């Protein structure tokens, strides 16, 4: 029996494109299906959550996940990566180092615990982190088959030093923004943020998607270009960045 997106708690954003809001941290995961390949955007906050995403993607598309794009190296977006061992993993240049260096992995573990992830789960997740094999320095086009191509764009730094956006052309176009855009709360600028460049990263997102695109934030509901532009202006004022 065919399982619908809604039955699994997924929101269909466009044809073959969906997202779900994961529990606890309201973190977004995305799904883009082509005729020959399946892309998941972000991996969740633990290997178990990553495994659920992988299994749900298989149920929804009838095909295994072939590609995984990590929008940025924070625990709630990458700690599920161990569930995608047979998947081609993509990230912005530099994200690989964050997921490899002992001190950075330890900081991810500590941050996860500070935010409420169980110590044992955080330790297992950090120990099993797998860095992206494919590093995006500018733009990278993925061919998912059936005429569906997806653009991965290194649009950072901003929320972190290694922000990757995912543009899915179509009608409407869909842009997965990671935490460069947040709707359910104020954008978070941690110690790894680069505030002076964040507004420019949002300008880049708007250039990619245009006025009629749907923008999928890292946390919260899908928004439009006007929301992204307003958040860009708010961040510019907050960080004292000139237009």
């Amino acid at each position: 029996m065919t399982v619908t997106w809604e039955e699994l708690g997924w929101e269909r954003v466009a044809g073959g494109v969906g997202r779900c809001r994961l529990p606890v941290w309201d973190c977004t995961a995305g799904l883009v299906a082509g005729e020959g390949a399946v892309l998941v955007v972000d991996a969740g906050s633990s290997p178990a959550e990553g495994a659920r995403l992988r299994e749900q993607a298989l149920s929804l598309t009838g095909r295994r996940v072939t590609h995984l794009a990590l929008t940025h190296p924070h625990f709630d977006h990458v700690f599920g990566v161990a569930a995608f061992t047979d998947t081609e993993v993509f990230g912005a240049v530099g994200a690989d180092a964050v997921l490899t260096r002992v001190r950075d992995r330890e900081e991810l573990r500590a941050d996860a615990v500070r935010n409420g992830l169980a110590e044992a789960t955080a330790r297992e997740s950090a120990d099993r982190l797998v860095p992206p094999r494919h590093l995006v320095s500018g733009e990278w086009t993925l061919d998912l088959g059936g005429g569906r191509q997806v653009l991965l764009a290194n649009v950072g730094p901003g929320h972190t030093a290694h922000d990757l956006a995912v543009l899915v052309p179509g009608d409407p176009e869909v842009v997965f923004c990671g935490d460069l855009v947040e709707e359910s709360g104020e954008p978070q600028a941690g110690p790894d943020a680069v505030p002076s460049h964040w507004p420019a990263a949002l300008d880049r997102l708007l250039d990619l998607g245009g006025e009629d695109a749907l923008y999928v934030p890292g946390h919260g509901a899908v928004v439009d270009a006007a929301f992204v532009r307003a958040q860009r202006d708010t961040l510019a004022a907050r960080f004292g960045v000139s237009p």
Side-chain angles (χ1 to χ4, degrees), residues 54 73 147 202 215 235 239:
R54 186 195 64 211
L202 295 185
Y215 293 86
L235 287 170
F239 298 130

Side-chain angles (χ1 to χ4, degrees), residues 22-220:
L22 299 171
V24 184
W25 295 283
D26 190 27
C27 178
T28 288
L31 176 62
V32 185
E35 289 187 4
V38 175
L39 168 70
V40 165
V41 181
D42 284 336
S45 60
S46 69
E49 191 162 68
R52 285 194 294 273
L53 288 172
R54 186 195 64 211
E55 291 161 5
Q56 289 177 354
L58 176 61
S59 296
L60 291 170
T61 68
R63 294 180 293 281
R64 74 174 185 87
V65 177
T66 54
H67 301 76
L68 173 67
L70 302 176
T71 61
H72 63 288
H74 281 171
F75 83 91
D76 49 338
H77 296 260
V78 303
F79 264 12
V81 71
F84 297 89
T85 53
D86 58 347
T87 301
E88 299 296 327
V89 182
F90 295 77
V93 167
D96 55 326
V98 176
L99 302 189
T100 302
R101 285 192 298 255
V102 172
R103 68 176 183 274
D104 288 322
R105 291 162 73 117
E106 176 58 23
E107 177 52 35
L108 285 173
R109 182 206 63 77
D111 186 49
V113 172
R114 284 193 297 269
N115 281 278
L117 191 65
E119 173 69 45
T121 302
R123 173 61 62 192
E124 177 198 10
S125 302
D127 289 346
R128 295 179 62 190
L129 277 172
V130 179
R133 176 183 175 189
H134 305 288
L135 302 174
V136 182
S137 60
E139 296 180 349
W140 192 313
T141 299
L142 299 178
D143 187 350
L144 302 184
R148 163 146 282 167
Q149 293 187 327
V150 173
L151 182 71
L152 309 182
N154 185 335
V155 296
H159 176 66
T160 72
H162 318 293
D163 292 312
L164 188 73
V166 179
L167 170 66
V168 187
D171 186 14
E173 294 196 329
V174 178
V175 182
F176 290 94
C177 306
D179 286 5
L180 285 167
V181 179
E182 296 194 43
E183 185 276 334
S184 56
E186 184 176 330
Q188 299 300 301
D192 57 344
V194 187
S196 61
H197 290 269
W198 199 332
L202 295 185
D203 286 335
R204 177 65 174 140
L205 286 181
L206 290 165
D207 287 342
L208 283 172
E211 281 301 305
D212 298 325
L214 297 176
Y215 293 86
V216 182
H219 302 264

